[in-house]
Amino acid sequence: MSRPRAKLTKNFPGCFVEATLCFLDGKWKGVILFHLMGGTQRFNALRRKMPGITQRMLTKQLRELEDAGLVSRTVHPVVPPHVDYDLTPLGRSLEPVVRALAAWGEAHVFCNDGRQELKEPQPKTELQKAALKYFEAAE
């Protein structure tokens, strides 16, 4: 079984970008976080939103996100078992990162005959220029 990069060494990587990506690596973790930003979800609801993921992989990714403290798991004592997943406050703090990834993908990725391809950036709108000025001023 593969382990996330963060678990392969005893120390976190020196770069903050790499350290953050350790918690988001894998094909599905970012997608799971994206769907949980909409609120609490049951396991099968998450699975229906991601038809390409297997039950085993969804379980594994949810456990890793839970171990990292990004997702909480609530088991309700009913028959059949009812399990809810939600973002923790720490997981909610990744919302701007996940939204930025979604916005970038919407602007630069398109599907062509089942393949994902990158689009060339479009000229910046006035709103994008204003946002860039804001972030440059913050540095």
Side-chain angles (χ1 to χ4, degrees):
M1 177 189 293
S2 67
R3 294 183 295 169
R5 282 179 279 164
K7 294 181 181 179
L8 294 176
T9 61
K10 293 184 180 178
N11 299 319
F12 280 105
C15 174
F16 292 120
V17 172
E18 186 176 356
T20 303
L21 289 174
C22 285
F23 296 103
L24 297 177
D25 70 349
K27 182 176 180 179
W28 298 105
K29 287 182 185 173
V31 180
I32 292 168
L33 293 173
F34 177 78
H35 290 303
L36 289 176
M37 286 179 353
T40 303
Q41 300 281 326
R42 292 179 69 173
F43 182 88
N44 283 329
L46 282 170
R47 192 159 175 225
R48 278 191 298 273
K49 290 180 180 191
M50 298 178 284
I53 193 170
T54 64
Q55 180 173 338
R56 180 175 182 262
M57 181 55 68
L58 180 56
T59 300
K60 179 181 180 287
Q61 298 287 281
L62 284 166
R63 282 186 186 147
E64 289 177 8
L65 288 167
E66 185 181 5
D67 289 346
L70 300 174
V71 170
S72 65
R73 179 178 186 262
T74 305
V75 180
H76 300 279
V78 295
V79 176
H82 175 144
V83 180
D84 289 330
Y85 294 92
D86 200 5
L87 293 177
T88 63
L90 185 60
R92 287 243 172 251
S93 71
L94 282 170
E95 192 167 334
V97 175
V98 175
R99 288 201 187 282
L101 288 170
W104 189 90
E106 186 176 335
H108 300 288
V109 180
F110 73 101
C111 291
N112 186 15
D113 292 327
R115 291 189 340 250
Q116 295 176 347
E117 297 180 13
L118 293 177
K119 296 188 256 185
E120 288 295 320
Q122 301 300 316
K124 292 184 177 39
T125 65
E126 292 303 315
L127 180 61
Q128 289 170 320
K129 290 176 186 174
L132 285 173
K133 285 182 186 177
Y134 171 81
F135 285 112
E136 288 170 357
E139 293 175 356

